[in-house]
Amino acid sequence: MNLHNGALTHRAMPVHHTPKPHAGLTLILTRAQLLGVFAGKGLAGIETDGDPELLARLLSYASEPPDKAFPIVTP
């Protein structure tokens, strides 16, 4: 997953992919583990490289409820 300009995107990588050197945090995990991370189960058993505090920062962006009046489509 990549967070850039406020957009979080995902791209499948081979299992033995070498992370980009500029990544602040790299997680190597399964889909089930990813869902567990987003459910607040932490990083136990997940291979990490980098600053785990960046994950807490990312998750904090999603903790705010969305603005229901945000005009997704405007005339």
Side-chain angles (χ1 to χ4, degrees), residues 2 10 13 17 20 23 27 31 38-39 42 46 55-57 68-69:
N2 186 42
H10 167 267
M13 296 288 195
H17 174 73
K20 293 181 180 181
L27 304 175
R31 179 186 172 115
F38 284 127
I46 297 173
L55 180 62
R57 188 168 147 197
K68 294 181 181 181

Side-chain angles (χ1 to χ4, degrees), residues 9-45:
T9 57
H10 167 267
R11 185 176 65 207
M13 296 288 195
V15 175
H16 300 290
H17 174 73
T18 302
K20 293 181 180 181
H22 68 275
L25 174 64
T26 299
L27 304 175
I28 299 175
L29 66 170
T30 65
R31 179 186 172 115
Q33 289 172 317
L34 176 62
L35 295 174
V37 167
F38 284 127
K41 294 183 180 178
L43 296 174

